[in-house]
Amino acid sequence: MKSRKTLDGGALKQAWNWLFDDEMFADYRRHGNTTWSLSALVTMALLWAWSGEETLQERFRCGRAILCRLYRRREWGETYQGFLKILKTWTQPLLATVTERLRKRMQELPGAHWRVQGWCVMAVDGTRVEAPRTAANEQWFARVPPHRRRVRKSTHQRKTTGQKKRQAASPQVWLTVMWHVGLGLLWDWRQGPSGSSERAHLVEMIDDLPQKSLVIADAGFQGYDYWQALLERGHSFLIRVAGNVRLLKGLGHVRRRKNIVYLWPDRARKRKQPPIVLRLFEFHDTRQSVWLVTNILDQQQLSQRQAMAVYRRRWGVEVFFRSFKQTFGRSKLRSHAPQNVEMELDWSLAAFWSLELLAVRELLYRGRAPCDLSTVGALRALRQSLQCAALGMDFN
């Protein structure tokens, strides 16, 4: 994709109006004596995240210059600290509104990319994002969430003395994302301290999945409780399993077939919970066997060949992480206070999602596929447009 054709400076305002409008925030009522309107606050938050300036304050100054031209007003808050204060107050409700709008725009995109092999396929995975080494960040992001169970490790699993002494170079935020495979776009995310459970994050995101989704994931997302949560909400899954998962055969709950297995751990059996009936696949790559399980028992709905083709596309979420961290520059955040770190990460994800959505939309209207997306080119074009807008060039 040629970057100059992704978002021209003159098309910036038109693209923005497609993404968001003032009516989105009509149900919210401001309080206090703030001069910020909610639409301007969202605009400023995304401009702040889109900017390529070195410091957060420089990003705010550049974003405010564009904001004043976009809204033809100059009475927006002038200080960076004032912007952060009002953004903290409104981040949670505004992000919910922005997320809902972006999902709606995804479903309105042309083409047949919403489904893959007949399914709305969602890949889930987690990664760590670094934060500055401050006392507050170290204390906050190193904490263990209350839901995280401590499991006693065997002798072979215990870390060596040298490994125990090694520490991360800086505090880390755990980020779990839900990524739409067909469109190659973000769908949802959760964040927490470095000890967070990505499987617990998955459970939190289930309610926001489209109807009858197919969730694909690696072996980090295996477990009875998590799979049962997906089944109870009418979703399916295709998940890689490791050797530590005990799968049973021949329980007689369905007609016996050689690739039918069951997950029925002792705790579920004692609680009189039913076994989860699964279909087991084995694939071979150049190095080792890959084992996948799915709750889709009908081969006509999901054949073995289709299952492997779908699972291979899970790699796209790894590409998403690489683009977000390296291309978008979020391998390490810049805020020194924990609440600001979380807010910076949230708006960075919303901004990155908006950028890629605009670029994919442009590709589809040209008759091309989402996989042709060049995040580097899209980001370069956007930042060139922002620079022109800040200088008053080719904006309206």
Side-chain angles (χ1 to χ4, degrees):
M1 176 194 297
K2 295 183 179 180
S3 61
R4 293 185 181 274
K5 292 185 179 180
T6 307
L7 273 181
D8 299 303
L12 180 61
K13 190 172 182 179
Q14 181 181 1
W16 179 263
N17 290 336
W18 179 77
L19 283 175
F20 309 113
D21 54 60
D22 292 341
E23 295 180 1
M24 293 171 52
F25 314 104
D27 294 336
Y28 294 111
R29 302 184 66 178
R30 290 182 298 165
H31 55 82
N33 60 353
T34 178
T35 59
W36 289 95
S37 72
L38 297 184
S39 59
L41 185 61
V42 170
T43 306
M44 183 66 241
L46 296 179
L47 291 171
W48 177 56
W50 278 333
S51 175
E53 301 297 327
E54 286 296 322
T55 69
L56 296 177
Q57 293 192 23
E58 289 174 351
R59 294 176 187 176
F60 168 75
R61 285 193 291 269
C62 291
R64 185 177 176 275
I66 300 171
L67 187 74
C68 291
R69 295 191 59 81
L70 179 63
Y71 286 87
R72 301 184 182 279
R73 292 174 56 182
R74 296 193 176 276
E75 63 268 30
W76 305 122
E78 296 184 358
T79 66
Y80 176 61
Q81 294 303 323
F83 163 68
L84 286 184
K85 184 176 180 180
I86 187 65
L87 190 60
K88 287 178 186 178
T89 302
W90 284 99
T91 281
Q92 186 172 357
L94 291 182
L95 271 177
T97 302
V98 167
T99 298
E100 182 180 356
R101 171 56 65 91
L102 294 176
R103 289 173 181 163
K104 180 180 178 182
R105 291 295 186 238
M106 285 173 62
Q107 295 179 64
E108 294 171 350
L109 290 174
H113 301 282
W114 179 252
R115 296 189 177 275
V116 176
Q117 304 288 358
W119 300 90
C120 183
V121 182
M122 296 285 180
V124 59
D125 205 355
T127 189
R128 288 183 172 88
V129 181
E130 292 188 1
R133 182 177 285 280
T134 65
N137 284 345
E138 287 183 336
Q139 181 178 4
W140 182 255
F141 293 110
R143 76 189 196 280
V144 177
H147 63 268
R148 189 76 170 179
R149 295 177 61 235
R150 294 183 178 274
V151 180
R152 182 177 179 83
K153 297 181 179 180
S154 66
T155 304
H156 296 289
Q157 292 174 318
R158 292 172 188 166
K159 296 181 179 179
T160 64
T161 304
Q163 288 175 321
K164 289 181 180 179
K165 291 182 179 179
R166 286 200 294 269
Q167 296 180 355
S170 63
Q172 295 178 327
V173 187
W174 184 262
L175 173 65
T176 308
V177 305
M178 190 75 70
W179 185 77
H180 192 285
V181 171
L183 292 170
L185 295 171
L186 183 63
W187 180 263
D188 202 355
W189 74 88
R190 292 295 185 275
Q191 61 165 294
S194 57
S196 297
S197 166
E198 58 186 357
R199 291 177 289 183
H201 285 170
L202 168 62
V203 173
E204 291 178 15
M205 293 188 284
I206 289 177
D207 287 338
D208 292 321
L209 286 171
Q211 291 185 349
K212 297 183 178 179
S213 294
L214 173 63
V215 176
I216 59 175
D218 62 14
F221 293 88
Q222 58 193 19
Y224 182 93
D225 293 337
Y226 310 105
W227 295 355
Q228 190 64 30
L230 285 166
L231 294 176
E232 288 173 353
R233 291 165 176 82
H235 303 300
S236 300
F237 56 83
L238 178 66
I239 295 179
R240 182 172 181 172
V241 290
N244 60 342
V245 176
R246 184 187 176 194
L247 298 174
L248 307 176
K249 290 186 176 182
L251 294 184
H253 285 261
V254 296
R255 183 178 178 181
R256 182 177 296 184
R257 281 177 277 171
K258 65 177 183 179
N259 62 340
I260 293 295
V261 295
Y262 305 85
L263 180 66
W264 204 14
D266 293 340
R267 188 170 63 170
R269 190 161 54 248
K270 291 177 181 178
R271 293 177 178 177
K272 297 184 178 180
Q273 293 175 299
I276 298 179
V277 186
L278 303 166
R279 194 152 54 110
L280 180 67
F281 302 110
E282 180 184 8
F283 303 100
H284 298 278
D285 59 19
T286 56
R287 295 174 297 177
Q288 59 185 358
S289 294
V290 176
W291 296 89
L292 304 177
V293 293
T294 180
N295 66 302
I296 304 171
L297 305 183
D298 189 348
Q299 187 173 354
Q300 293 183 351
Q301 293 184 31
L302 185 69
S303 67
Q304 180 165 329
R305 179 177 297 180
Q306 289 174 326
M308 191 57 189
V310 168
Y311 183 77
R312 281 175 174 163
R313 295 188 64 174
R314 191 201 68 84
W315 178 250
V317 73
E318 305 286 351
V319 177
F320 170 84
F321 284 139
R322 184 182 63 194
S323 298
F324 181 69
K325 289 182 176 182
Q326 299 180 11
T327 305
F328 203 55
R330 294 305 188 274
S331 59
K332 185 171 184 178
L333 303 172
R334 299 178 183 273
S335 299
H336 288 185
Q339 189 175 3
N340 292 350
V341 168
E342 294 174 345
M343 189 168 61
E344 181 188 349
L345 179 56
D346 279 334
W347 286 107
S348 294
L349 287 162
F352 191 64
W353 185 0
S354 302
L355 166 68
E356 292 202 324
L357 174 57
L358 288 171
V360 168
R361 173 177 176 253
E362 183 70 17
L363 283 170
L364 293 177
Y365 278 120
R366 293 190 212 165
R368 300 174 65 182
C371 60
D372 293 332
L373 171 66
S374 167
T375 303
V376 173
L379 182 61
R380 184 186 302 117
L382 174 64
R383 287 179 173 169
Q384 288 174 351
S385 301
L386 296 180
Q387 291 175 359
C388 293
L391 297 173
M393 300 165 54
D394 193 27
F395 187 71
N396 296 310

